[in-house]
Amino acid sequence: MQPPFAVGFHFSVHFAFDIGSVDYRFQSVSGLGVEYATEAVVEGGENRFEHKLPVRTQYSDLVLKRALVTDSALVTWCREAFEERVFAPTTVTVHLLDPAGVPLRSWHVDRAWPRKWSISDLNAEENALVIESLELSYRTFRVN
């Protein structure tokens, strides 16, 4: 039997501070990426190239988008950070799901905190949902 192919539209997002909530249904998740910062080292007498050495890993910000929700534990967490400057880093888990809802792959994002929170433009000429975007900075992630 062939393994199932992963589809990018069936996923879930969970925050460690509010287990069991259903208001974390996002329309998109982006920014699960890591790369090495490098340092150039020039070797004396060798002019054809320079050595690039890995220094440290750098993680992209995690960007979550969804229809605007006016009140939830996630909104409270963001408001505390932006209005009261109370930061409570938490674990965020993103699950990529198969058709039956079983996780195919999971990313556990450690010590996430809200870096940016915005809403889409309000426009009387369009019939569209208001989308809120949440950018999270974090320390690292693990893949399961």
Side-chain angles (χ1 to χ4, degrees), residues 64-77:
L64 307 171
K65 294 183 180 183
R66 69 175 182 179
L68 180 67
V69 175
T70 57
D71 190 28
S72 70
L74 181 59
V75 170
T76 301
W77 182 66

Side-chain angles (χ1 to χ4, degrees), residues 61-122:
D61 285 342
L62 185 64
V63 180
L64 307 171
K65 294 183 180 183
R66 69 175 182 179
L68 180 67
V69 175
T70 57
D71 190 28
S72 70
L74 181 59
V75 170
T76 301
W77 182 66
C78 290
R79 290 184 69 178
E80 287 175 354
F82 289 109
E83 294 174 3
E84 301 169 23
R85 298 193 52 83
V86 175
F87 293 92
T90 190
T91 301
V92 179
T93 304
V94 178
H95 296 291
L96 180 63
L97 305 173
D98 70 6
V102 177
L104 292 171
R105 173 136 326 148
S106 298
W107 292 265
H108 301 281
V109 177
D110 296 320
R111 298 195 53 81
W113 54 275
R115 191 181 81 76
K116 182 178 179 182
W117 190 21
S118 63
I119 63 166
S120 61
D121 294 340
L122 305 176

